[in-house]
Structures are given as C-alpha cells and as structure tokens.
Amino acid sequence: MREGNSVLVTGGAGFLGSHLCERLLRERRDVVCVDNFFTGTRRNVEHLLGYRNFELLRHDVTFPLYVETDQIYNLACPASPVHYQHDPVQTTKTSVHGAINMLGLAKRLRARILQASTSEVYGDPEVHPQTESYWGRVNPIGIRSCYDEGKRCAETLFFDYWRQHRLEIKVVRIFNTYGPRMHPSDGRVVSNFIVQALKGHDITIYGDGQQTRSFCYVDDLIDALVRTMATAPEFTGPVNAGNPVEFTMLALAERVLKLVGGPSKLVFKPLPEDDPKQRQPDITLARQALGWAPKVTLEDGLKETVAYFRDLLRS
Ligand SMILES: NC(=O)c1ccc[n+]([C@@H]2O[C@H](COP(=O)([O-])OP(=O)(O)OC[C@H]3O[C@@H](n4cnc5c(N)ncnc54)[C@H](O)[C@@H]3O)[C@@H](O)[C@H]2O)c1
C-alpha cells in the first residue's frame, strides 16, 4: 500500500467533508476535495482555497475519476432525507457507482480507502443499542431505501474489494452528527430548532418531546474518521461512531431557547408516522480499536452551532 501525504475527500464541500478537509490541512496533508455541489457549497470550503496544499474539484462520483492520491475518504452522498429523497435514483447511483469508482481508483493506486457509512444500515433495529455485529432490519422498497440500501451495497462492495483485491478498506458507521455547516433546511432536529429560535419562530416539537435522540458533535466525529484511517491494515471495521448519550427533544429545545434567547415558544404537534424510532450507537469497538469516545458536551457543541447559524442568517 502507498504511504504518502495526499488525501482525496469526496463530498468534501459538504457538512462533514469540509470539517474533514480542515482537519487534514491542519495535519499538513495535501488535500483534493471533490464535490458536485448537490448539498455541499463552495462557501463551506472558501476559507481553505488559499492553502497551497488544497485543491477543489467539481466532479460527480458516479463518473470515474483519475487523480493521484494515497488515501481516499468517500463521503459523497446526500445525508438528510429531504435531500436524498429528492432524486432517489441518483442517491443509489451516488452510493453504489460512487463506491465502485472510488474503489476502482483505490485499487489502481493501491490507496487506502474509507467509506462514510451510516447507522441507517441498521434500519429499524430490534436491538438497542446497536453493535456492529447486528445485521439490521431495512425495508428494501420504501422511500428511505435509496439511501439505506445504497449504503449497505457500498459496504458490500468495500468488503468484496477487500476479499477479492486485498484492498485496505475502513468502514465507519456514522450516527447523527451536528455542528456548524449543517444545511439550514435539511429538516434535522438540531438545525430546525436553532433556525426557528434565531428567526423568533415557535419551536416545533413532535409528540410530547419525551422521545430521545443522541447527537455527536462534528469535531468528535471527524476525529473518529481520522483515527479509523490510521488503524493497522488488518482493521477494516465496520466501526460505529456516534455519541451514545441520549437526551429528550424537550431538553434539546429548552437548551437551544436558553442559548438563543428571544420570544420563541415551544409548540407541540402530532408525531409524523414515519418518525424513526430511537437509534443509539454501541461504541465499545471504537473505544477499544480507536481509543476514541466523544468529548464535546451538548452545551459546547450547541454554542458553536448557534453562532454559525446566527452568522449565516445575518449574511
Ligand atoms: N451528518 C450525519 O449525521 C451523517 C450520519 C451518517 C452518515 N453520514 C454520511 O457522511 C457523509 C457526509 O454527510 P454530510 O452530513 O456531510 O452530508 P452533506 O450532504 O453535507 O455532504 C455530502 C456531500 O456530498 C456531495 N455529493 C452528493 N452527491 C455527490 C456526487 N454524486 N458526486 C460528488 N459529490 C456529491 C454533496 O454536494 C455534499 O457536499 C455522507 O456519505 C453521509 O451519508 C452523515
């Protein structure tokens, strides 16, 4: 395998990708960021364009790419339901053809490659919390399947390239992550609450607000990706990365309100029918294999995220 300094990040102008590019540049890596700007924006990486060791390339990963690199982080794929359901066929193509193209590139270059997989591969799980050995319960024909099954197929491809072509692969199953540069209208609860509060609108809580969720702050998540890439060749994952600490939606809304201030009130609406049931990572493997656990508290993470959205709404 190649041991060099250059790294390719697909989906690098997105929420997670832009933070990953930043982190890699801080480590003095040569970074090529590839994105078709479907959900990502140039704005997310504008501050990086001045670095001599940063290159931004508009490219769709469903088409082959020929560049030289030592490592590949494959993040390209819309991540929120509103975006991945917008063009479901393209979503599946991005996951599956994107994986084939990036694995093909990795094979040609003998580069190490990491796949940004998802907790969605567990579907609507029967076990809590989910360990990596759980095979999941996914509907293959529903409106979320383009994403869930696309990501599952990408994992299959990664492991077949590993078995068949001895490629060095790493698969990380990412659980809900939040932070600056989340898309303001992607329908996620953290960005929804913050944007509603900043606009002085009422904060919408579905159900009684007692349902729980767990969210990982972006810096912690990026640290897990970088640590996974640095593991020994025999470590393939899949490895869960997320924050196991749960909090209720009511508690989240109250904290957001306290941080933002303003006139917003909490309003309660009926739970949508497809509201996903609770999902929570078991991160025992990440603790053991990566020496990793989330560090950033909800309070600190929310402060950074609120500051980001405040600026964004002003501009
Ligand atoms: N954010 C989370 O909570 C979360 C959870 C689980 C998994 N993930 C995975 O992490 C990765 C990044 O997620 P994110 O939250 O940063 O989402 P995002 O939508 O902000 O980033 C995805 C990026 O991929 C780009 N992209 C989409 N299709 C592409 C294509 N065909 N070719 C090139 N670029 C393309 C988008 O323009 C965007 O910049 C995704 O693969 C996602 O499935 C994220």
Side-chain angles (χ1 to χ4, degrees):
M1 287 290 154
R2 293 163 74 113
E3 286 302 336
N5 202 39
S6 58
V7 187
L8 175 70
V9 180
T10 75
F15 162 46
L16 298 183
S18 60
H19 286 273
L20 177 60
C21 289
E22 243 173 39
R23 162 81 186 255
L24 294 168
L25 288 171
R26 274 205 304 279
E27 291 178 2
R28 300 185 184 284
R29 313 299 297 259
D30 295 325
V31 178
V32 177
C33 164
V34 166
D35 208 294
N36 71 348
F37 302 121
F38 173 48
T39 48
T41 61
R42 227 182 121 79
R43 186 182 192 275
N44 284 344
V45 288
E46 218 155 37
H47 59 299
L48 307 178
L49 295 175
Y51 284 78
R52 269 193 300 122
N53 47 342
F54 180 74
E55 204 180 327
L56 176 61
L57 218 64
R58 181 192 286 264
H59 174 80
D60 185 321
V61 295
T62 61
F63 296 95
L65 176 69
Y66 300 98
V67 292
E68 293 295 312
T69 190
D70 301 302
Q71 295 184 346
I72 302 171
Y73 286 86
N74 188 35
L75 271 63
C77 186
S80 68
V82 278
H83 292 132
Y84 70 63
Q85 285 167 13
H86 170 76
D87 185 348
V89 172
Q90 175 67 12
T91 300
T92 303
K93 278 188 185 170
T94 296
S95 277
V96 177
H97 292 193
I100 291 171
N101 287 328
M102 289 309 123
L103 285 161
L105 180 66
K107 181 183 163 216
R108 183 172 72 79
L109 299 171
R110 303 312 294 166
R112 183 179 284 201
I113 181 165
L114 179 146
Q115 167 69 356
S117 191
T118 171
S119 57
E120 302 291 334
V121 300
Y122 298 124
D124 195 359
E126 301 109 321
V127 298
H128 291 285
Q130 291 83 49
T131 57
E132 292 83 352
S133 58
Y134 177 57
W135 288 356
R137 190 164 75 114
V138 175
N139 173 4
I141 57 168
I143 57 169
R144 303 173 78 100
S145 313
C146 57
Y147 184 72
D148 305 1
E149 295 289 21
K151 288 286 190 180
R152 285 169 68 94
C153 184
E155 285 200 11
T156 306
L157 284 161
F158 267 68
F159 277 85
D160 282 335
Y161 267 77
W162 171 67
R163 277 183 288 262
Q164 207 173 321
H165 300 298
R166 302 253 154 265
L167 211 61
E168 257 190 51
I169 62 149
K170 315 280 176 195
V171 173
V172 184
R173 292 182 179 154
I174 302 170
F175 284 65
N176 279 335
T177 303
Y178 74 102
R181 300 193 209 119
M182 286 180 91
H183 202 288
S185 48
D186 69 1
R188 311 273 186 110
V189 67
V190 177
S191 45
N192 262 2
F193 283 1
I194 294 177
V195 171
Q196 286 176 329
L198 285 169
K199 288 183 170 169
H201 298 169
D202 289 341
I203 295 185
T204 324
I205 295 182
Y206 294 100
D208 60 4
Q210 291 306 321
Q211 68 274 35
T212 58
R213 292 283 186 277
S214 51
F215 289 97
C216 185
Y217 187 63
V218 59
D219 289 356
D220 282 330
L221 196 278
I222 297 302
D223 193 43
L225 296 186
V226 172
R227 281 171 187 253
T228 306
M229 187 61 111
T231 50
E234 55 278 11
F235 184 80
T236 57
V239 57
N240 289 338
N243 196 333
V245 179
E246 291 184 291
F247 43 87
T248 67
M249 293 303 90
L250 195 60
L252 175 67
E254 281 163 353
R255 277 189 212 194
V256 167
L257 253 187
K258 202 169 140 211
L259 278 174
V260 174
S264 309
K265 289 192 294 295
L266 305 183
V267 294
F268 293 85
K269 291 202 173 158
L271 263 184
E273 264 177 40
D274 66 343
D275 201 48
K277 301 193 188 79
Q278 155 204 35
R279 222 183 268 125
Q280 188 197 11
D282 180 319
I283 59 162
T284 312
L285 179 60
R287 284 182 199 277
Q288 287 165 355
L290 315 176
W292 176 87
K295 292 197 189 102
V296 180
T297 62
L298 181 63
E299 202 69 29
D300 289 345
L302 282 180
K303 269 189 206 149
E304 296 291 326
T305 315
V306 167
Y308 167 77
F309 279 113
R310 206 186 285 280
D311 268 8
L312 187 76
L313 293 182
R314 255 193 224 125
S315 64

